[in-house]
Amino acid sequence: GASEPDPVLPLRIVADARIRQVLPWLGKASYLALFGGFLMTDVLLLRCLLAAGYTGLTSYHLLQVRPLRIPLVGSWIFLWVNAGMAMLMVRDRYFLLGEDDAKVYSEHFEATMSVADFKTLMAQGETRVAAEQEVIVKRGEVADLAIILEGSAEVRFDRGRTTTIGVGGMAGEIGFVSGSPASATVTMAPGSRYVIWPREGLRRALAEEPALEKGLQLVIGRELMRKLAADVWFNDALKQELAPAE
């Protein structure tokens, strides 16, 4: 005959008719959450859905009249592993950055680098507000790297040609990559807020942090594609700046 009931929880709970009716749906929902987790491209969402799925599976096994101990323990372990990793990621993503840095990260860097790498990047730079017109890149000189957080900047090429960089735009990114002198002068508008990274110090930091270097390369690549698509550059100036340094 059937083996004797051997529940983990009191028999009166696991034998309740309402529990027996809900239990199959709990199991299905748990596996659906696990399946959904593996479809997530965001690692935090993946961890959260896996934690939810394993919470459901742990409950499913706990509520059995004759629970299988090994799947129960396995589900319980995977629950805490994924919940713990999710909590660490929430801490890193949302609680280890100040309000201003968190905004900069979410708007400009989250897609390409971790919070830890972003903090390393920001430690190499300086956030400034232009009290008046402020030149941050000079034509003919190798430029530092900058990104505009608020406001705008005028880019002045030779023969009086100009264009404008807005919020999220970068300055000095081509020279940072190629080492060539800038083909234009970039002037911040009064009241604009930006981050600027001294070129040599940042390059030394990148040499020690391969993941940060890769993330910043992706940011710069995205910026170059945006400017090409928006026809921000004049072709002759672009060719000049892309030429490798002597």
Side-chain angles (χ1 to χ4, degrees):
S3 60
E4 291 294 323
D6 186 23
V8 175
L9 299 177
L11 184 58
R12 61 182 177 80
I13 295 177
V14 299
D16 188 285
R18 291 167 296 182
I19 297 293
R20 309 314 302 166
Q21 289 178 347
V22 170
L23 210 52
W25 293 102
L26 177 59
K28 293 174 183 178
S30 300
Y31 280 110
L32 184 62
L34 294 178
F35 177 73
F38 288 114
L39 295 179
M40 294 295 106
T41 56
D42 183 275
V43 180
L44 177 56
L45 289 177
L46 181 149
R47 292 292 186 182
C48 289
L49 280 172
L50 291 185
Y54 284 117
T55 297
L57 283 181
T58 300
S59 302
Y60 176 83
H61 290 297
L62 279 173
L63 292 169
Q64 296 293 331
V65 175
R66 301 174 185 84
L68 299 174
R69 261 54 176 189
I70 293 178
L72 169 59
V73 172
S75 297
W76 183 83
I77 291 173
F78 282 121
L79 157 62
W80 286 106
V81 167
N82 284 283
M85 293 300 294
M87 287 187 286
L88 288 175
M89 293 183 68
V90 167
R91 183 198 65 178
D92 290 346
R93 183 176 294 188
Y94 298 109
F95 297 106
L96 291 185
L97 295 175
E99 183 177 349
D100 288 343
D101 282 351
K103 185 172 185 291
V104 174
Y105 176 69
S106 65
E107 292 179 354
H108 305 294
F109 296 96
E110 186 173 17
T112 60
M113 66 181 66
S114 67
V115 170
D117 286 337
F118 172 73
K119 292 181 70 178
T120 300
L121 177 66
M122 293 301 287
Q124 301 297 320
E126 180 183 354
T127 302
R128 300 176 183 173
V129 176
E132 52 187 11
Q133 286 192 336
E134 185 173 330
V135 175
I136 60 171
V137 174
K138 291 184 179 180
R139 185 170 180 267
E141 298 181 5
V142 178
D144 294 329
L145 181 65
I147 185 170
I148 301 171
L149 305 180
E150 297 174 6
S152 62
E154 179 189 67
V155 184
R156 182 171 294 274
F157 300 88
D158 60 357
R159 301 196 295 275
R161 299 174 297 178
T162 63
T163 189
T164 301
I165 304 175
V167 174
M170 302 186 85
E173 73 278 7
I174 301 180
F176 180 79
V177 173
S178 69
S180 299
S183 61
T185 295
V186 180
T187 305
M188 298 299 304
S192 297
R193 189 165 70 96
Y194 62 99
V195 181
I196 190 163
W197 291 273
R199 184 175 184 275
E200 294 305 320
L202 180 55
R203 293 195 72 87
R204 285 194 298 270
L206 295 181
E208 299 174 359
E209 299 285 348
L212 173 57
E213 181 178 28
K214 181 178 179 181
L216 186 58
Q217 286 173 347
L218 289 172
V219 173
I220 292 174
R222 185 176 61 187
E223 174 68 1
L224 297 180
M225 293 299 294
R226 184 191 69 79
K227 285 180 175 176
L228 285 170
D231 199 23
V232 169
W233 281 307
F234 296 99
N235 288 337
D236 57 335
L238 177 58
K239 291 177 181 178
Q240 173 188 333
E241 198 160 347
L242 284 174
E246 297 295 334

